[in-house]
Amino acid sequence: MPTSLAWFYHQTETAYALVMGQQTTPDPANLQEDNVLVAIEAVSLNYRDLIAWKNLAGRQVSGRVPASDGAGTVVAVGRAVQQWKPGDRVAGCFFPRWQSGPFDLSNHQYDLGGNLDGMLRQHAVMHEDAWVRIPSHMKTLEASTLPCAALTAWYSLVSRGGLRQGQTVLVLGTGGVSIFALQIAKRMGARVVITSSDDRKLERARSLGADHTVNYKTHPQWSEQVWKWTEGRGVDHVVEVGGPGTLEQSMRSVAGSGHIALIGVLTGFGAPSTSLFPLLARNVTLNGIYVGPRDEFVRMNRFFEDHEVVPVIDRVFSMDDVPDAFAYLASGQHFGKVVIQVA
Ligand SMILES: NC(=O)c1ccc[n+]([C@@H]2O[C@H](COP(=O)([O-])OP(=O)(O)OC[C@H]3O[C@@H](n4cnc5c(N)ncnc54)[C@H](OP(=O)(O)O)[C@@H]3O)[C@@H](O)[C@H]2O)c1
């Protein structure tokens, strides 16, 4: 039986180690009739992969292939598959079964790199509806960044938030979700304020179109800067990736009838130590976000094509250096995305 390379989570006493191994290569001639075999070329990492690796949320992932986000080229298709052919360039869907419409809790049983094997392997087989076409202007490597971070930013701001031209958006930090949020918001004609712990990263954000920047380390009460920038009105949308440690400043930054997309846990899973009353007083819409469905992924890719959005990749690691790639993401030095070249 031919085999191909894959990485696996291996349980240790307190967390998981990353271990390289082999998987049986799927036989192209024996695919299930609605399945598609893809040669994975690149994988991108998300903070969520650190959560699994460091066991921050108590998830059981022992033996699983890590990473939700991968892109590659179709090698073979089952006999009933209509929409793909060998040679097509595709990216996988974070939730392979969430095709459209509202989120159903059953999707949590089928998340890549969590309950299902992820993409850190040379070959992946999934149902034909679990893949989307890569925007034509993007390299496959670039498209590996789309399934989680980009779709989360799009689903937050556009699908659920109804972002309109001329509105204001607050983006926290310069990680994967946040830089996509900046790029999308600028292409939609919004004005963007972004925070970071690093002035050099803020400079880079300005070169991507950020209208205003705030260093959240030197300005711990950063909502005051946001408030001044909006001339005492507040922002229309907050891309809230911080969680309990940033929510107070986010609530102080949002406008009346504004929108907070609650996305992340960069400051942990605990409870915020602040009153939630500003949400009521400001008539805020609070949207809990967990990535997004496939039809919004397709819509986003069309928008990216029309507006020539190119993902910002900070650094590319080789398939041999996966633990270094995880450690680099954990160090927080990156701006945008960290990618692993699989093939
Ligand atoms: N709900 C969902 O669907 C969904 C999807 C994707 C991600 N997420 C969550 O969203 C968060 C971001 O994910 P990601 O993959 O984009 O992470 P990432 O790329 O690892 O982003 C890390 C960056 O976040 C910034 N950061 C860290 N602590 C911060 C703080 N207290 N205030 C402001 N910024 C801070 C830092 O930027 P600077 O270096 O510029 O300071 C850091 O470099 C994570 O919690 C992740 O689990 C949720």
Side-chain angles (χ1 to χ4, degrees):
M1 283 261 191
T3 59
S4 45
L5 275 183
W7 282 84
F8 301 93
Y9 288 121
H10 176 78
Q11 192 146 23
T12 63
E13 232 163 76
T14 53
Y16 294 94
L18 292 158
V19 179
M20 197 193 242
Q22 297 283 331
Q23 269 191 333
T24 305
T25 308
D27 179 359
N30 273 314
L31 295 176
Q32 282 182 29
E33 62 171 18
D34 50 9
N35 277 358
V36 173
L37 168 60
V38 172
I40 302 298
E41 288 170 35
V43 162
S44 78
L45 296 183
N46 293 285
Y47 187 80
R48 151 186 205 270
D49 304 316
L50 299 182
I51 294 175
W53 179 46
K54 294 181 173 179
N55 197 21
L56 299 180
R59 281 196 86 170
Q60 178 50 253
V61 291
S62 193
R64 287 259 175 278
V65 176
S68 54
D69 293 10
T73 302
V74 173
V75 173
V77 301
R79 64 185 164 80
V81 171
Q82 300 278 347
Q83 56 187 315
W84 307 116
K85 60 178 186 328
D88 285 344
R89 296 188 312 130
V90 293
C93 295
F94 181 103
F95 285 123
R97 297 190 180 206
W98 188 11
Q99 294 290 306
S100 63
F103 184 74
D104 184 285
L105 279 179
S106 65
N107 285 303
H108 283 306
Q109 300 307 312
Y110 307 100
D111 59 328
L112 298 188
N115 283 316
L116 300 178
D117 276 342
M119 290 290 184
L120 256 178
R121 48 183 166 154
Q122 289 178 311
H123 295 98
V125 174
M126 292 200 292
H127 190 276
E128 62 171 324
D129 293 338
W131 302 99
V132 298
R133 198 173 300 284
I134 288 174
S136 56
H137 70 294
M138 268 186 212
K139 296 176 185 148
T140 309
L141 185 109
E142 291 166 340
S144 73
T145 64
L146 301 177
C148 179
L151 181 55
T152 299
W154 171 266
Y155 193 58
S156 299
L157 283 175
V158 182
S159 323
R160 298 277 296 279
L163 175 64
R164 296 191 311 274
Q165 185 174 13
Q167 289 191 316
T168 48
V169 177
L170 164 63
V171 172
L172 306 189
T174 59
V177 173
S178 299
I179 295 302
F180 274 119
L182 166 63
Q183 291 178 292
I184 291 166
K186 288 312 299 177
R187 299 303 203 288
M188 297 278 297
R191 291 191 305 131
V192 178
V193 50
I194 187 166
T195 71
S196 176
S197 56
D198 182 334
D199 286 339
R200 283 164 308 175
K201 291 185 178 183
L202 290 175
E203 195 55 51
R204 253 187 107 178
R206 267 192 287 274
S207 73
L208 289 173
D211 298 277
H212 192 64
T213 59
V214 184
N215 186 317
Y216 65 82
K217 283 277 189 253
T218 52
H219 293 93
Q221 305 295 316
W222 40 265
S223 62
E224 290 170 3
Q225 312 288 317
V226 175
W227 204 246
K228 263 191 227 152
W229 177 66
T230 57
E231 298 174 343
R233 182 179 172 272
V235 290
D236 296 302
H237 303 268
V238 183
V239 179
E240 225 311 335
V241 291
T246 52
L247 190 59
E248 180 178 6
Q249 290 297 305
S250 289
M251 288 191 296
R252 286 176 187 265
S253 300
V254 74
S257 298
H259 162 229
I260 299 178
L262 212 51
I263 297 168
V265 289
L266 288 167
T267 60
F269 289 87
S273 60
T274 184
S275 165
L276 299 180
F277 186 69
L279 298 175
L280 287 63
R282 296 178 188 216
N283 274 276
V284 167
T285 300
L286 189 68
N287 271 325
I289 300 289
Y290 213 111
V291 194
R294 180 181 188 249
D295 65 343
E296 286 300 320
F297 194 170
V298 171
R299 200 174 143 223
M300 175 187 81
N301 283 352
R302 215 172 295 134
F303 176 89
F304 279 12
E305 235 170 41
D306 290 348
H307 293 82
E308 296 186 342
V309 176
V310 176
V312 177
I313 295 177
D314 178 280
R315 198 162 155 188
V316 181
F317 288 81
S318 79
M319 189 64 165
D320 291 333
D321 295 328
V322 164
D324 290 345
F326 272 67
Y328 182 68
L329 188 79
S331 76
Q333 293 173 62
H334 60 290
F335 180 96
K337 295 298 296 178
V338 175
V339 170
I340 294 157
Q341 179 100 52
V342 176

